[in-house]
Amino acid sequence: MSQNLTPRWYSPAEVAVLLGFGISKVKMKIANGELRSIKDGKYRRILPEWVDEYIRDQVERQEAA
């Protein structure tokens, strides 16, 4: 019995793949507050909703410009 599990959160490397960015760009966006994240021990994690929020913010900025 195999199940496809949906991740509850992502690592910065996974978000980089999802967004088509390099890992350093994702880390920069986390550092400057554009992309929300939390620390879980020594690891940084990003909720899927926060990735969606980042995308929405980017679209809104482009539409407002």
Side-chain angles (χ1 to χ4, degrees), residues 2-62:
S2 70
Q3 291 181 343
N4 290 333
L5 297 177
T6 303
R8 300 289 302 208
W9 57 17
Y10 300 117
S11 69
E14 291 169 320
V15 171
V17 171
L18 285 170
L19 296 176
F21 293 165
I23 186 71
S24 60
K25 185 170 184 175
V26 170
K27 289 180 179 180
M28 179 188 69
K29 291 190 175 293
I30 290 169
N32 69 20
E34 287 183 68
L35 181 59
R36 290 177 62 187
S37 70
I38 61 165
K39 285 280 280 187
D40 180 37
K42 67 179 185 174
Y43 300 104
R44 182 134 323 257
R45 298 295 181 214
I46 303 151
L47 293 175
E49 303 91 75
W50 296 344
V51 176
D52 295 339
E53 181 180 296
Y54 168 78
I55 293 168
R56 269 193 309 277
D57 289 347
Q58 294 303 308
V59 170
E60 287 172 6
R61 280 193 197 126
Q62 289 295 312

